[in-house]
């Protein structure tokens, strides 16, 4: 007698797509939060940086303050001197103590001393407070860039760096809009007060919400083995168990293998690349912050009314915001090298065009292109630096390149003041800024086409 065995029915294919992984959703939300908070921190820093340029005509007109153009240039340079100090000191501290702590501490410093700028009674008080505020600003930027890069999705690091650093021109746009809308009623003191209030709001949010580095984002240091009693002092080959020069014993070889972050950016063939990055950053910062410090006053010198002169600073920063995203998308596709060099060259050509004057619409377009080129070369250069160095020394490298390169931003306000005081005219100032952008492109061309 035979028994029919019924084969099991094939499993019915599910028509539903797999449910999204909650962990992936949390990761994406965390990434967005980190990028948004870092961008907000850089935005209020940008406001407090660039507000000096839009406030300068009012400060020069304040008889109680007693500024001339040379002194105005000197005061304008002090914030960048502070940023140099802050970036060099806080970059290594961020690698050791954590990015979040340095962002918060630096933000509190520059907010408090921006309040000081708003109430300063004399030029020397204003200059001192501006210097101290700059130290805080210099600590915020490298920590925010390094932290945002750690949370960036794979292949989107240039876009993330652009979003974060777009905060600087966004802050400039807000400063120019604030001055255009309420500058007469607020005065220059009120403009600095607005910047301090915005900074306070942002850093309260940063304190509440910003996480620290991803676990394992930075390269773990080489493990140090604890020698056992059997191996201590026992004979063995050099570098083997019991050797005085072994890694396990923590001798000189361990120190050579694990140099400090400050030494690492100049070791293992990185010295030439680091120096060229510094030169390029110096030059592009001279052009970018020179324009942001002096553009409103330069246009006044070229007989544009104050309202129109403020429009040029607004367009410079607005062009930087919008254009830099398109440039970053290209950098994500073809890499940062050609994009950074081309952006610096574009800025140089556009600034030469500004020196010629002429039709307002044409000058506004050239101003936007100058903003696109200068700011894009700066942001993509930072991504290039961050991608070149290992994570364990990334904030240090960004701090050194940003810090020493910050000397260009220090020189820019001084140069503008000296040239105008010497009656060489605004055209000469534009030529100097255009030459700086060209120097940046040349230095970037000289960087070897390999990772440091």
């Amino acid at each position: 007698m035979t028994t029919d065995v019924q084969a099991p029915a094939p499993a019915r294919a599910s028509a539903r797509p797999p449910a999204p992984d909650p962990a992936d959703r949390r990761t994406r939300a965390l990434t967005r939060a980190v990028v948004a908070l870092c961008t907000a921190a850089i935005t209020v820093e940008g406001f407090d940086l660039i507000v000096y340029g839009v406030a300068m005509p009012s400060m020069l007109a304040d008889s109680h303050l007693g500024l001339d153009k040379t002194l105005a240039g000197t005061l304008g340079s002090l914030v960048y001197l502070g940023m140099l100090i802050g970036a060099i000191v806080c970059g290594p501290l961020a690698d050791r103590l954590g990015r979040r702590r340095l962002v918060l501490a630096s933000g509190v410093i520059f907010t408090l001393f921006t309040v000081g700028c708003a109430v300063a009674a004399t030029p020397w008080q204003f200059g001192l407070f501006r210097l101290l505020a700059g130290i805080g600003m210099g600590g915020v930027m490298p920590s925010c860039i390094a932290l945002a890069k750690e949370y960036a999705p794979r292949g989107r690091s240039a876009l993330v760096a652009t979003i974060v650093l777009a905060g600087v021109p966004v802050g400039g746009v807000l400063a120019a809009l604030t001055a255009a809308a309420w500058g007469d009623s607020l005065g220059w003191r009120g403009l600095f007060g607005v910047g301090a209030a915005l900074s306070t709001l942002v850093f309260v949010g940063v304190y509440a919400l910003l996480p620290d580095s991803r676990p394992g984002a930075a390269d773990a240091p080489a493990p140090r083995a604890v020698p056992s009693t059997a191996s201590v002092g026992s004979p063995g080959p050099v570098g083997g168990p019991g050797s005085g020069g072994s890694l396990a014993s923590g001798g000189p070889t361990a120190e050579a293998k694990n140099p400090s972050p400050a030494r690492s950016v100049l070791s293992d063939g990185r010295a030439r690349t680091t120096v060229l990055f510094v030169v390029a950053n110096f030059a592009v910062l001279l052009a970018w912050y020179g324009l942001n410090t002096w553009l409103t006053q330069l246009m006044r010198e070229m007989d544009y009314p104050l309202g129109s002169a403020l429009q040029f600073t607004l367009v410079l920063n607005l062009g930087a915001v919008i254009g830099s995203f398109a440039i970053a998308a290209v950098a994500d596709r073809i890499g940062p090298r050609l994009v950074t060099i081309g952006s610096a060259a574009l800025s140089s050509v556009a600034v030469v065009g500004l020196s010629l004057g002429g039709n307002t619409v044409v000058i506004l377009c050239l101003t936007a292109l100058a903003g696109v080129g200068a700011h894009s070369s700066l942001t993509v250069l930072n991504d290039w630096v961050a991608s070149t160095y290992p994570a364990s020394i990334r904030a240090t490298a960004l701090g050194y390149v940003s810090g020493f390169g910050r000397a260009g931003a220090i020189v820019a306000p001084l140069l503008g003041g000296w040239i105008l005081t010497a009656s060489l005219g605004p055209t000469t100032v534009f030529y100097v800024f255009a030459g700086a952008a060209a120097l940046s492109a040349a230095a970037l061309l000289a960087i070897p086409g390999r990772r440091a």
Side-chain angles (χ1 to χ4, degrees), residues 284-295:
V284 76
L285 282 168
L286 193 158
W288 170 244
Y289 286 116
L291 288 170
N292 269 299
T293 301
W294 284 108
L295 185 60

Side-chain angles (χ1 to χ4, degrees), residues 107-148:
V108 169
I109 289 170
F110 89 68
T111 300
L112 288 176
F113 289 110
T114 298
V115 173
C117 290
V119 300
T122 63
W124 75 262
Q125 289 179 357
F126 181 89
L128 175 62
F129 293 144
R130 196 71 171 148
L131 172 69
L132 294 172
I135 292 174
M137 294 179 193
V140 168
M141 188 172 292
S143 297
C144 282
I145 295 170
L147 188 60

Side-chain angles (χ1 to χ4, degrees), residues 401-420:
V401 171
S402 176
F404 287 113
R406 189 70 57 184
I410 296 170
V411 170
L414 292 170
L415 280 176
W418 292 337
I419 293 169
L420 292 177

